[in-house]
RNA sequence: GCGGAAGUAGCUCAAUUGGUAGAGCUCCAGCCUUCCAAGCUGGAGGUUGCGGGUUCGAGACCCGUCUUCCGCUCCA
């Protein structure tokens, strides 16, 4: 990151705090690493972004159903999904090379090297003796027997240690076997630590009955386990989607870059169920559709790009990210994955329940293929905020800080000011405010000079400021000031509602997608 | 996790070789004000991130710890 980018990023972070968008969690207790709270302006902005996503995905699609599943799920869910195995690595660091290894991999590599020695002995012997009885050689040769015994011993110790969850024993094996770091060649090891990316807690009132359950590391599984419920009760026909937004939790080893990588974060995701064989066509469809959705926010087309995954996850046959140009470079904003039938098949296997769809056109049942779109809401929030924050130099050399948020998602749609705090102007301003707040997020301010109030609203991204002046009392008109241009128009009070609706409504954005 | 930098009022920053913690902005109450942060009066806000240590005396020096940012590492 360049010094300038770093500067911009720091400005974004401090702006977030100063204007009530984001606070560090439990700040009075020194905070909690990589956990953040949304403040009074941030909560509304976040909610508006979520609403826009929901409306675009659920409200505007006949064939996408929206649900809201629990954070807690049956523990077997995570065995089926692969998270228990994939996210449960014992790790060890070499203090000299500063390299981190999976302890089980170190030990397995070590055993493989001994195995290699046996193979060499066998190879040597096979050249020496003819005819050569390999089985006989293996069971009688002293050196080979010694090596084999060693392997068996390590294997026994290792599997026992893993089963007991005895990490000290795992480390002891590495020490006893004099396993060295491939980089530094030293045996200067740290303790073995278990890094499980899933947070766990226990369920059940009595400790003996308690069972370990996990906070979901992704929201997707809540959709997969409800696939048939939604399909049957919603009478959904393939292709169809199920969407939801919600919190997910990952105990990241390093969580950094403000709200970009948090331990508790919110996903907005949709799983689209399709006929096997059509998944690539739908994958392409959603790539385009999702990119268009992002671009509709007007942050700049050049800020987005696709990044195709070369190395695919175990469940996917195609995957890409939509990346956004954050202050710290292009980073993942949304993932689009063709997940095949992996998840549903896994759940079929672990639950013993059929998760199939009867396709009346083909007159057959099958496990559908899945195309997933998954956005990080917090990342999107950061994308919107960091690209909206600007320092402008005005004529005369003054600067102003303006947050040019897309009006449809701004925390406040408009602010109402009486030009001065007397002559009945506050009363009229209040009346307008009370009238408009039924339909719009509004704010009212009569403190300080009107110029100062304009700047305050600029900083939190309010697209319009409506000022009541003396002329308003005579002809029922007000001035409306545009955030981005600072231009003012005189409009009738009676026209404010439709004006705000047109300029700040989500419907305008949704129409642009069609 | 390793290495680097930093942490003083809501924000930006001061505080001489260790010697009474300050300013501007913000905020609050009031006055004045006919449209882009700049007038007047008064007020609030700090165990200097936290805990130890050295010292007659620590915001400053030492140790530990927490948090943030950067690099490495990790990231279905």
């Amino acid at each position: 990151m360049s010094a300038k980018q770093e500067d911009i990023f720091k400005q974004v972070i401090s702006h977030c705090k100063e204007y009530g968008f984001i606070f560090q969690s439990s700040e009075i207790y020194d905070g909690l690493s990589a956990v953040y709270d949304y403040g009074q302006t941030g909560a509304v902005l976040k909610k508006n972004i979520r609403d826009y996503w929901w409306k675009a995905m659920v409200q505007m699609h006949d064939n996408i159903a929206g649900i809201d599943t629990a954070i807690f799920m049956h523990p077997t869910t995570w065995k089926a999904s692969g998270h228990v195995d994939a996210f449960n690595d014992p790790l060890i660091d070499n203090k000299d090379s500063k390299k981190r290894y999976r302890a089980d991999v170190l030990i397995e590599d070590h055993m493989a090297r001994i195995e290699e020695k046996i193979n060499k002995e066998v190879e040597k012997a096979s050249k020496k003796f003819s005819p050569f009885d390999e089985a006989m050689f293996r069971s009688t040769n002293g050196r080979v027997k010694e090596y084999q015994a060693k392997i068996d011993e390590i294997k026994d110790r290792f599997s026992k240690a893993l089963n007991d969850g005895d990490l000290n024993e795992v480390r002891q094996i590495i020490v006893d076997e004099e396993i060295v770091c491939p980089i530094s060649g030293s045996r200067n090891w740290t303790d073995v630590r278990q890094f499980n990316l899933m947070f766990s807690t226990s369920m059940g009132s009595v400790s003996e009955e308690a069972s370990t359950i996990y906070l979901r590391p992704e929201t997707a599984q809540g959709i997969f386990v409800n696939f048939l419920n939604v399909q049957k009760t919603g009478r959904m026909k393939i292709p169809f989607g199920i969407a939801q937004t919600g919190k997910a939790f990952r105990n990241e080893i390093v969580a950094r870059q403000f709200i970009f990588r948090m331990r508790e974060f919110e996903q907005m995701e949709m799983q689209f169920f399709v006929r096997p064989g059509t998944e690539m066509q739908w994958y392409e469809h959603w790539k385009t559709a999702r990119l268009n959705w992002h671009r509709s926010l007007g942050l700049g087309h050049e800020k987005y790009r696709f990044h195709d995954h070369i190395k695919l996850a175990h469940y996917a046959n195609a995957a890409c990210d939509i990346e956004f140009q954050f202050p710290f470079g292009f980073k993942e904003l949304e993932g689009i994955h063709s997940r095949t039938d992996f998840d549903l098949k896994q759940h079929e296997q672990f639950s013993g329940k059929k998760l199939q769809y009867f396709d009346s056109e083909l007159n057959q049942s099958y496990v559908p293929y899945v195309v997933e779109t998954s956005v990080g809401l917090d990342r999107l929030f950061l994308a919107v905020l960091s690209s909206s924050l600007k320092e402008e130099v005005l004529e005369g050399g003054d600067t102003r800080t303006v947050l040019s948020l897309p009006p449809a998602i701004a925390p406040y749609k408009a602010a109402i000011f009486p030009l001065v705090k007397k002559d009945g102007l506050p009363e009229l301003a209040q009346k307008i405010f009370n009238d408009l707040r039924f339909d719009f997020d509004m704010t009212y301010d009569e403190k300080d000079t009107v110029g100062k109030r304009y700047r305050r609203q600029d900083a939190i991204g309010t697209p319009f400021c409506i000022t009541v002046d003396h002329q308003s009392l005579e002809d029922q008109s007000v001035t409306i000031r545009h955030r981005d241009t600072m231009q003012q128009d005189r409009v009738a009070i009676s026209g404010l509602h439709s004006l705000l609706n047109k300029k700040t409504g989500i419907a305008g954005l949704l129409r642009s997608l069609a």
Side-chain angles (χ1 to χ4, degrees), chain A residues 234-509:
Chain A
R235 299 184 299 129
M236 309 302 283
K237 299 227 172 353
I238 271 181
F240 74 94
I242 304 178
Q244 75 167 332
T245 69
K247 289 281 181 78
F249 304 82
R250 289 179 203 178
N251 196 4
E252 301 279 357
I253 299 166
V254 240
R256 283 246 198 87
Q257 286 168 314
F258 196 37
I259 59 169
F260 184 80
R261 180 167 291 136
M262 294 196 287
R263 298 217 157 89
E264 172 179 344
F265 60 100
E266 189 159 345
Q267 295 185 309
M268 306 192 291
E269 50 122 8
M270 189 275 298
Q271 307 293 335
F272 202 70
F273 300 91
V274 305
R275 188 183 287 172
T278 64
E279 71 273 12
M280 287 316 290
Q281 147 199 347
W282 284 108
Y283 173 72
E284 292 301 328
H285 167 87
W286 283 112
K287 273 178 78 169
T288 309
R290 294 304 306 151
L291 182 64
N292 285 342
W293 183 88
H294 285 288
R295 285 176 164 178
S296 72
L297 287 170
L299 306 180
H301 285 202
E302 75 287 355
K303 297 214 170 190
Y304 300 91
R305 72 178 188 199
F306 283 116
H307 174 252
D308 292 312
H309 289 201
I310 296 161
K311 184 168 167 264
L312 295 172
H314 58 277
Y315 55 71
N317 67 358
C320 73
D321 297 334
I322 295 176
E323 294 188 332
F324 184 81
Q325 191 172 21
F326 287 97
F328 40 85
F330 273 99
K331 298 277 178 181
E332 178 184 358
L333 183 61
E334 169 155 4
I336 296 159
H337 299 177
S338 173
R339 292 182 78 127
T340 70
D341 56 1
F342 176 85
D343 299 276
L344 289 177
K345 278 217 164 123
Q346 286 290 106
H347 286 303
E348 274 198 327
Q349 191 190 323
F350 277 77
S351 69
K353 308 278 195 312
K354 273 212 153 109
L355 295 176
Q356 302 193 353
Y357 171 81
F358 180 74
D359 191 325
S360 51
E361 269 180 51
L362 299 178
N363 200 29
Q364 70 177 55
S365 291
Y366 54 76
V367 177
Y369 270 45
V370 175
V371 175
E372 168 191 76
T373 72
S374 177
V375 202
L377 175 50
D378 311 276
R379 289 182 179 186
L380 189 50
F381 182 102
L382 183 59
V384 167
L385 207 124
S386 62
S387 56
S388 297
L389 183 61
K390 286 162 195 147
E391 285 279 331
E392 274 185 8
V393 180
L394 304 175
E395 285 175 49
D398 273 4
T399 62
R400 70 160 182 157
T401 303
V402 57
L403 198 60
S404 49
L405 297 172
I409 57 172
Y412 294 116
K413 303 309 177 201
I416 310 277
F417 307 146
L419 185 58
V420 292
K421 213 174 7 175
K422 60 178 187 185
D423 304 335
L425 299 188
E427 287 78 1
L428 179 55
Q430 277 287 352
K431 188 173 165 293
I432 296 169
F433 173 70
N434 285 329
D435 189 40
L436 290 172
R437 74 188 317 183
F438 283 101
D439 292 302
F440 305 100
D441 280 303
M442 303 290 296
T443 181
Y444 175 87
D445 195 1
E446 57 178 35
K447 174 85 183 157
D448 299 313
T449 66
V450 73
K452 209 169 205 172
R453 286 177 262 163
Y454 286 146
R455 299 301 174 82
R456 272 204 284 265
Q457 296 305 319
D458 287 342
I460 59 172
T462 308
F464 296 105
C465 292
I466 295 163
T467 302
V468 173
D469 57 18
H470 291 90
Q471 189 184 331
S472 306
L473 299 173
E474 290 160 22
D475 66 2
Q476 295 292 302
S477 73
V478 290
T479 63
I480 186 160
R481 179 254 195 195
H482 299 251
R483 175 194 63 201
D484 299 330
T485 59
M486 298 170 71
Q487 299 266 317
Q488 292 183 67
D489 300 324
R490 189 137 206 119
V491 299
I493 293 171
S494 58
L496 285 173
H497 191 283
S498 68
L499 188 148
L500 287 182
N501 210 20
K502 190 171 160 221
K503 303 274 190 185
T504 71
I506 279 187
L509 277 184

Side-chain angles (χ1 to χ4, degrees), chain A residues 199-216:
Chain A
F199 287 98
S200 62
T201 183
S202 53
M203 195 171 196
S205 50
V206 187
S207 62
E208 292 97 287
E209 292 170 14
S211 65
T212 299
I213 55 172
Y214 297 101
L215 276 65
R216 63 182 177 196

Side-chain angles (χ1 to χ4, degrees), chain A residues 41-52:
Chain A
T41 45
V44 183
L45 175 56
K46 185 180 171 194
K47 176 188 170 297
N48 290 346
I49 296 172
R50 189 197 295 116
D51 282 352
Y52 176 44

